[in-house]
Amino acid sequence: MAGVAPDASLEILQRHGQYLALHFAELRNQRASLGGDAPVFALEHGLSTGDLAELKSAVRLVVAEGFRYRHWRDNWLPFVVYASEVGYSYAGDEFWTTFDSATPGWAYFGDRTRIRIWFQRFAVEFGGAIPAGAFAKNFSIIAWPITHAVLPVYLQRNLAHLLYDFRMGLTAELLQNPGELGKQLSARAWDYTERFRIFCSNTSLLGHVAAALLSGEGEESPYLLQSTLFRLVDGLQEERQTKSWLQGARTVANRVRSQGFQPSG
């Protein structure tokens, strides 16, 4: 709980909660203007490294104090962001062990169902992504923070490989249609790990993440906040092989886009 005094935690939650409400409402409106089902992800919070660290410290303090501050209930958005951040670092093992370790006091004071309620509210108010597929059916609570982590670290290598494997199947039409792109990619994931196949069963999520990752170098994607997209790309480029796969797929996507928009004749 270093860095946050008990009497400052509520002020921090309120301040970040107000920012997040405005930020996610703007993202919701931008995605709605696309005319499809492009969701908003809680990982798209846009917080600086320092602000995110401050938010995490405040959340941990509230949990460790047993949620005894009455007004924390009105400042639920920081908890959604916090849970999504835990989901992003999830390594594919026991989620609650990871969550408990990161959040002192959660094992005693926490309520897992409350997490699902937070995310369901996020989906209603901000057009948040809704878990789907086999993983969501079998893990109805942890599917929420993992879905809102967009692409947890333990799945990044697999997605880079899949995009590379599928690169010659890319068309200009697919790059403009995340729903169909997700279906095509999911159909090619049959020989990947079981956990990755479960991720791919949510074809809408898969397609929107893939479309964002395949956007032009340095370009903004309408499907993912630029800072979040850069974060995922940076993660994918930490390993040389994964970086090579992603760059290969993006090179083909850029060529397809260029050719697809050339005037006829």
Side-chain angles (χ1 to χ4, degrees):
M1 267 50 73
V4 180
D7 58 355
S9 60
L10 180 58
E11 184 275 331
I12 290 172
L13 291 181
Q14 289 175 331
R15 174 160 48 84
H16 287 310
Q18 290 169 359
Y19 156 77
L20 291 169
L22 293 173
H23 173 73
F24 285 128
E26 182 178 358
L27 281 183
R28 176 199 61 207
N29 294 338
Q30 290 175 357
R31 300 288 157 79
S33 71
L34 298 176
D37 62 347
V40 173
F41 300 95
L43 197 72
E44 298 181 274
H45 48 70
L47 293 168
S48 68
T49 301
D51 284 342
L52 181 59
E54 185 181 57
L55 178 149
K56 289 180 177 179
S57 293
V59 167
R60 288 169 178 149
L61 182 59
V62 168
V63 174
E65 292 288 325
F67 294 95
R68 64 186 179 88
Y69 304 105
R70 291 183 57 192
H71 299 293
W72 73 265
R73 297 178 185 276
D74 298 324
N75 300 282
W76 56 278
L77 275 173
F79 291 88
V80 169
V81 168
Y82 179 87
S84 298
E85 286 287 334
V86 175
Y88 182 74
S89 62
Y90 175 59
D93 298 319
E94 174 52 54
F95 178 84
W96 293 114
T97 299
T98 302
F99 199 96
D100 293 348
S101 177
T103 319
W106 179 263
Y108 187 78
F109 297 114
D111 180 351
R112 297 180 181 183
T113 302
R114 184 180 292 156
I115 288 182
R116 180 168 54 199
I117 292 172
W118 289 333
F119 279 102
Q120 288 172 336
R121 182 174 177 181
F122 185 85
V124 171
E125 295 190 15
F126 300 105
I130 298 175
F135 187 74
K137 180 179 180 180
N138 294 325
F139 302 95
S140 63
I141 297 180
I142 70 171
W144 286 95
I146 292 175
T147 293
H148 278 270
V150 188
L151 186 63
V153 171
Y154 83 106
L155 295 177
Q156 291 179 0
R157 178 181 173 86
N158 287 320
L159 182 55
H161 196 186
L162 178 61
L163 293 176
Y164 183 78
D165 282 348
F166 187 73
R167 68 194 186 284
M168 303 313 296
L170 293 172
T171 66
E173 292 76 15
L174 273 181
L175 291 171
Q176 292 180 308
N177 188 340
E180 185 59 30
L181 176 61
K183 292 177 183 177
Q184 295 283 338
L185 288 170
S186 181
R188 291 287 294 270
W190 58 271
D191 61 343
Y192 285 73
T193 67
E194 180 182 7
R195 286 173 176 166
F196 185 63
R197 291 198 307 271
I198 291 173
F199 167 78
C200 290
S201 68
N202 187 340
T203 57
S204 177
L205 171 62
L206 172 63
H208 283 98
V209 173
L213 289 173
L214 292 172
S215 59
E217 192 73 31
E219 292 182 4
E220 292 192 31
S221 167
Y223 305 113
L224 205 61
L225 188 70
Q226 190 172 29
S227 60
T228 306
L229 175 59
F230 286 169
R231 179 179 181 180
L232 296 182
V233 172
D234 286 346
L236 287 161
Q237 292 181 335
E238 288 182 358
E239 182 189 59
R240 183 165 58 181
Q241 181 62 74
T242 304
K243 178 179 180 179
S244 177
W245 285 331
L246 179 61
Q247 289 180 335
R250 296 181 97 181
T251 296
V252 174
N254 290 336
R255 184 166 67 242
V256 166
R257 265 190 298 268
S258 176
Q259 294 172 347
F261 290 110
Q262 284 181 345
S264 60

